[in-house]
Amino acid sequence: MWKIPLAGRPTLLPLAALLAALGTAGLGGCVPYAVGTTAKTAPAREVQPSVVLQVVSSRRDLDRDDRPRGAGLAIGNSARLGLDARSDVGVQIIGLGSITATYKRRLTGPLESDRGTALVVGAGVVGTSHLHAEATFVASPGALQIAPQVVPYGGVRVQDLTPFGGNALGSGPAVGLFVGGRFGWADLGLSPEVGVFYSPSPLVGDRDVIIVPSITVRGDRLRKALGL
């Protein structure tokens, strides 16, 4: 994995390069729904990058002039930095102009293992119109005995948008369940996931249930492929 040294000016260089890579443009500002992780946190002083592709059946980062629209696609880039054996922090950019920061804390389960539970809380800005807040409880039984390269996970996610732009439109909080699995290895894993959220839409004729399929790719081989 990518480990950050403790002292000296070079410690900022890999992190700066990674944050610059996070600016990769998606296909439009979007609310982050995909979780893409088990209960395991990033090891202390190590950075774990990831790329996520999500499809949202109905958007909630709306303006007053908007009309009900179909599915929206967004590409996101993120990185998590391990703080200690039980916690890490992350930054994610998804679409154009949407950025969130999160803190993840291991609640139960063996350290440095996928098995157990964790809580993730965070906040950020979606586009130039909404403030975003989120809280996620994620649980995993660990790798399957019959298929050690498969690690299922799932949980509950609650998030909310607060409009601050002059023409931004508010909506009800999103409450949902998600389930997914990581296929692969610690240095390169692919995590398909499906989330179902209830979030009342402010638009007449729009559906209140949001379905979000996503795929997250993470691991050290991804970092090397990005040249970081």
Side-chain angles (χ1 to χ4, degrees):
M1 303 304 294
W2 184 13
K3 183 169 289 188
I4 299 179
L6 287 176
R9 292 185 62 183
T11 59
L12 297 179
L13 297 180
L15 187 57
L18 179 62
L19 292 177
L22 292 178
T24 303
L27 300 181
C30 192
V31 181
Y33 289 97
V35 177
T37 182
T38 67
K40 185 177 180 180
T41 57
R45 305 195 330 270
E46 290 188 8
V47 175
Q48 294 183 338
S50 63
V51 175
V52 60
L53 173 68
Q54 72 171 25
V55 179
V56 181
S57 64
S58 181
R59 292 182 60 170
R60 291 295 181 266
D61 49 329
L62 301 167
D63 292 332
R64 298 186 186 278
D65 297 332
D66 284 337
R67 296 290 182 270
R69 289 179 282 180
L73 173 69
I75 300 174
N77 296 269
S78 66
R80 304 205 67 83
L81 169 64
L83 299 178
D84 53 39
R86 290 186 174 273
S87 59
D88 64 25
V89 292
V91 177
Q92 181 183 59
I93 293 177
I94 186 165
L96 294 173
S98 298
I99 181 170
T100 59
T102 57
Y103 171 78
K104 183 178 182 180
R105 180 72 178 180
R106 160 81 72 159
L107 299 178
T108 63
L111 299 181
E112 299 184 1
S113 168
D114 292 299
R115 180 166 61 88
T117 62
L119 179 66
V120 186
V121 294
V125 178
V126 174
T128 58
S129 59
H130 293 79
L131 298 176
H132 167 82
E134 63 180 71
T136 303
F137 175 80
V138 57
S140 173
L144 299 179
Q145 291 187 351
I146 59 174
Q149 280 73 46
V150 180
V151 182
Y153 65 88
V156 181
R157 183 173 172 90
V158 180
Q159 54 191 58
D160 191 27
L161 291 176
T162 301
F164 66 84
N167 201 37
L169 195 60
S171 61
V175 181
L177 303 174
F178 63 91
V179 62
R182 191 189 69 220
F183 296 79
W185 302 266
D187 60 346
L188 183 61
L190 180 69
S191 300
E193 176 184 311
V194 176
V196 180
F197 297 84
Y198 176 75
S199 177
S201 175
L203 301 180
V204 177
D206 202 1
R207 295 182 178 179
D208 293 337
V209 175
I210 302 174
I211 300 175
V212 187
S214 64
I215 296 179
T216 301
V217 183
R218 70 174 66 247
D220 198 49
R221 290 193 220 176
L222 174 63
R223 175 186 66 81
K224 294 177 180 178
L226 295 174
L228 302 175

